[in-house]
Amino acid sequence: MGTPSIRTNVAPLMRPTHPAATKLACVMVGLPARGKTYVARKIARYLAWLGHHSRIFNVGNYRRSAVGAVQTHDFFDPTHPENAARRKEVADRALADMLLWFDKAGDAPVTGAVMTKDSPMTPIGSRGRSDSLSLSGAGKAGPGWVAVYDATNSTADRREGIYRKCLEHGVQVMFVESVCDNNDIILANIKEVKISSPDYVGMDPEKAVEDFSRRISHYAKNYETLTPAECNDEIPFVKVINVGDQVIVNKVKGYLQSRIVYFLMNLNITPKSFFFTRHGESMFNVAGKIGGDADLSPRGQDFAKRLPDLLKDNLGEETKLTVWTSTLKRTMQTAAYLSWPQLQWKQLDELDSGVCDQLTYEEIEEKFPSDFTERDQDKFNYRYHGGESYRDLVQRLEPVIMELERHHEADHAILIVGHQAVLRAIYAYFLNYSLDELPYVKIPLHTVVKLTPKAYGCREDRFAVDVPAVDTHRCMPHPALDAKNK
């Protein structure tokens, strides 16, 4: 695809007076089948993973709740005043809920994370669907509040109304438009997203494509692309053209808006899969010690020798592979029998356990009893003396996540040979685990995980290698997640 060209008209960066109270409405714009919902979910997931409160208000879900999922293309015809009024009513209801959420922002917890039963990115088929999708990852550093208003918002008048209402509630606004004139991409989006969406459950695929294509034509009649002249020349927006071929930025200001721009410049919707596995069992795993730079155990070596055949069986004949490892011996020894190109990332090194490095948990409890208890009470934020917390680890791994999102070769997979804490953080990003859940995700030894991001979730496949290994998982003090991991 190449490096995107960038046109900018960027206002000077402004530091908010009260960063902990920053509220931002990220308003999606675009015709159907341009990837808006996918982008909306990814933005919300990314910001929540970094520790900000985020929530999606999807107007399509509000519509399905109000009038039912089965609506033919005629419902979206702008020449039908009654249907147009009903669509505006549900869009206004979603907007009102979003503003109410912002008004109640101060009621949220200061630390930890809160998630509804349905979240911006969910394993396919594993969670229900609701009108608004919420994930909050609050933190001591002062989280932002970001609502993603997911709708077509296809006219300048409609966008002006949203902009003014948000300002009345003290909410910053940023528009994100997905523009696409590549028919191959549009048709692929229709087949991939809309046939599996709630609007077309049980419908013949060919009829679904025909109906949705006609729905798009209805929206196109009155569609107006974003321009800098909107909202009295004050409109902040990002326009992503043809899935990242070009990115146009206008009057973006502040930390949160800048992070979203950075993320969108790295995001693409090319179909792809990632593999990851922990290193083979190490001598420290056998001894129950954490950290260090130990060699593989004999069973870990056995796993490393069997890994190439497992990958060949599940890659496909035409798929290339690049292997990423940390700089620690146990990951490089695990990858030693792999014939594919390899890269070492310092960012993929295991969480630094500081003064507790090379100790067993029993030794930690004996030497540092108060720290041992404190970590169990808030494992995500607890920082080892002289080491790191899981929150620190997430910040360290952001370049790795960006590289995975940037990857756009459908026939070129990536295998990460990593460590338990590192893979927990990466897995939580793609599978939408809250920050409270992240440190307790179960990533067993001698198992390869394949993740395939989709528009409405992330497909997961696991391949266990028949080589015994110790279980290094420590259960969460809360029984609910412990049961979820089993």
Side-chain angles (χ1 to χ4, degrees):
M1 183 180 298
T3 303
S5 61
I6 307 169
R7 293 196 352 238
T8 60
N9 179 17
V10 184
L13 292 178
M14 302 291 290
R15 178 173 296 176
T17 305
H18 303 288
T22 299
K23 302 176 183 179
L24 173 66
C26 184
V27 180
M28 304 304 298
V29 177
L31 290 169
R34 267 60 177 181
K36 293 189 307 301
T37 295
Y38 176 81
V39 172
R41 288 168 175 258
K42 295 295 277 186
I43 289 172
R45 172 62 261 173
Y46 168 67
L47 293 173
W49 187 72
L50 289 179
H52 303 287
H53 299 280
S54 63
R55 183 160 187 163
I56 298 176
F57 294 83
N58 181 280
V59 173
N61 286 341
Y62 278 80
R63 168 180 54 78
R64 283 183 281 271
S65 177
V67 300
V70 182
Q71 300 291 332
T72 65
H73 67 89
D74 293 329
F75 181 80
F76 303 90
D77 189 338
T79 63
H80 292 177
E82 182 179 345
N83 288 339
R86 296 174 79 183
R87 294 199 311 275
K88 184 177 185 304
E89 180 183 350
V90 296
D92 288 345
R93 187 182 306 163
L95 180 61
D97 282 354
M98 181 186 77
L99 295 174
L100 181 62
W101 181 73
F102 277 124
D103 288 343
K104 294 184 176 181
D107 295 337
V110 176
T111 60
V114 179
M115 180 165 58
T116 63
K117 69 175 183 178
D118 192 5
S119 312
M121 289 287 288
T122 55
I124 293 174
S126 67
R127 293 173 182 161
R129 189 176 298 277
S130 59
D131 287 345
S132 59
L133 313 179
S134 178
L135 177 71
S136 299
K140 297 175 181 177
W145 294 82
V146 183
V148 184
Y149 186 66
D150 184 13
T152 54
N153 299 312
S154 55
T155 66
D157 284 346
R158 175 65 184 165
R159 297 190 289 266
E160 173 84 17
I162 295 170
Y163 181 77
R164 296 303 170 195
K165 285 187 178 180
C166 287
L167 292 187
E168 290 172 5
H169 285 257
V171 177
Q172 299 176 17
V173 187
M174 175 185 183
F175 292 88
V176 176
E177 182 178 14
S178 181
V179 179
C180 184
D181 56 16
N182 185 315
N183 289 329
D184 291 337
I185 295 176
I186 294 171
L187 183 59
N189 285 347
I190 292 173
K191 291 181 177 179
E192 171 68 26
V193 181
K194 294 304 175 184
I195 293 177
S196 60
S197 84
D199 288 349
Y200 295 104
V201 173
M203 183 179 289
D204 176 79
E206 291 186 5
K207 290 183 178 180
V209 169
E210 178 185 359
D211 183 85
F212 192 70
S213 297
R214 296 182 71 177
R215 183 193 298 190
I216 294 172
S217 68
H218 291 318
Y219 276 107
K221 293 174 184 176
N222 297 324
Y223 187 78
E224 298 171 335
T225 190
L226 285 165
T227 68
E230 291 185 38
C231 304
N232 294 329
D233 300 322
E234 292 295 330
I235 185 169
F237 69 76
V238 182
K239 187 179 294 191
V240 182
I241 300 173
N242 287 333
V243 201
D245 280 351
Q246 186 179 26
V247 179
I248 301 173
V249 183
N250 185 73
K251 291 188 180 295
V252 167
K253 58 181 181 293
Y255 171 77
L256 285 175
Q257 295 185 28
S258 299
R259 297 310 299 173
I260 292 172
V261 171
Y262 168 65
F263 179 70
L264 291 174
M265 289 177 64
N266 289 283
L267 186 64
N268 71 80
I269 60 173
T270 303
K272 54 195 171 186
S273 295
F274 311 118
F275 294 82
F276 65 75
T277 182
R278 289 176 65 184
H279 54 78
E281 180 189 74
S282 74
M283 297 304 295
F284 271 21
N285 291 147
V286 175
K289 296 181 178 181
I290 66 172
D293 193 15
D295 292 308
L296 295 183
S297 71
R299 293 190 300 193
Q301 287 286 356
D302 192 9
F303 169 72
K305 292 174 182 177
R306 297 195 190 189
L307 185 58
D309 287 339
L310 183 146
L311 292 170
K312 290 174 183 176
D313 291 342
N314 292 281
L315 269 179
E317 295 181 1
E318 303 299 323
T319 303
K320 302 175 185 176
L321 181 70
T322 298
V323 181
W324 296 355
T325 73
S326 73
T327 63
L328 300 177
K329 288 189 297 185
R330 52 193 183 274
T331 63
M332 291 187 284
Q333 290 174 1
T334 302
Y337 300 96
L338 301 176
S339 59
W340 295 279
Q342 298 185 20
L343 295 172
Q344 283 75 48
W345 285 69
K346 182 66 176 174
Q347 287 93 335
L348 289 175
D349 283 1
E350 181 60 301
L351 186 147
D352 186 347
S353 50
V355 296
C356 296
D357 194 55
Q358 303 185 43
L359 299 180
T360 66
Y361 283 112
E362 291 75 17
E363 290 171 336
I364 295 171
E365 186 173 16
E366 180 182 346
K367 293 184 177 182
F368 309 103
S370 60
D371 293 84
F372 187 84
T373 302
E374 182 183 345
R375 188 167 190 261
D376 271 349
Q377 291 174 346
D378 187 3
K379 192 174 180 180
F380 182 78
N381 287 299
Y382 173 80
R383 179 181 290 120
Y384 284 106
H385 292 288
E388 292 178 299
S389 66
Y390 269 92
R391 182 175 293 280
D392 298 328
L393 178 63
V394 163
Q395 301 297 324
R396 165 156 58 94
L397 287 173
E398 187 180 13
V400 176
I401 294 296
M402 288 299 103
E403 193 63 30
L404 290 172
E405 292 288 12
R406 185 185 298 124
H407 188 67
H408 61 269
E409 298 177 61
D411 60 347
H412 190 161
I414 292 173
L415 166 68
I416 300 177
V417 181
H419 305 269
Q420 180 168 247
V422 169
L423 296 182
R424 279 172 170 166
I426 295 173
Y427 182 90
Y429 171 81
F430 284 103
L431 271 296
N432 196 44
Y433 279 73
S434 72
L435 301 185
D436 277 346
E437 294 174 314
L438 184 156
Y440 296 96
V441 173
K442 190 167 187 176
I443 309 290
L445 289 164
H446 300 175
T447 300
V448 176
V449 178
K450 178 184 179 182
L451 298 181
T452 305
K454 300 286 185 179
Y456 285 95
C458 190
R459 176 178 173 179
E460 176 184 1
D461 299 290
R462 292 200 176 202
F463 312 97
V465 177
D466 188 20
V467 177
V470 297
D471 183 0
T472 61
H473 181 74
R474 296 183 72 243
C475 295
M476 188 179 190
H478 308 294
L481 184 65
D482 185 36
K484 182 178 179 180
N485 274 320
K486 290 181 180 178

